[in-house]
Amino acid sequence: MKVQVDAQICAGFSVCLGLAPEVFELHDNGYAVVRTSEVPSELEDAVRKAVSQCPSSAISLTDSLDSESG
Ligand code: SF4
């Protein structure tokens, strides 16, 4: 599973950081950025929670099901 934060939409509420500090961090500009775009499986629940609780709906998930690497 991959995660992205849309910097255009993020409003810096830091909800995501509270839920998954291993995955999100606050950029100098006050908005969230992703530390690791590939979400470790043990953090998927926390990241899904962040997605649903982000007040701006700025976080999006993509399944990493592409079979690029065979
Ligand atoms: S919860 Fe949403 S709006 Fe708040 S910092 Fe995270 S991505 Fe940005």
Side-chain angles (χ1 to χ4, degrees):
M1 191 172 90
K2 289 183 193 281
V3 63
Q4 276 184 304
V5 171
D6 189 329
Q8 309 282 344
I9 303 175
C10 171
F13 292 104
S14 297
V15 175
C16 55
L17 279 86
L19 289 166
E22 302 89 345
V23 175
F24 303 100
E25 69 182 345
L26 210 55
H27 193 268
D28 289 345
N29 63 12
Y31 299 112
V33 292
V34 169
R35 301 171 67 156
T36 165
S37 64
E38 187 65 45
V39 180
S41 52
E42 70 269 22
L43 295 175
E44 287 188 2
D45 281 355
V47 169
R48 284 184 210 281
K49 206 176 279 185
V51 171
S52 65
Q53 293 190 16
C54 172
S56 306
S57 303
I59 311 170
S60 55
L61 299 175
T62 46
D63 287 328
S64 25
L65 291 178
D66 309 328
S67 48
E68 290 164 11
S69 54

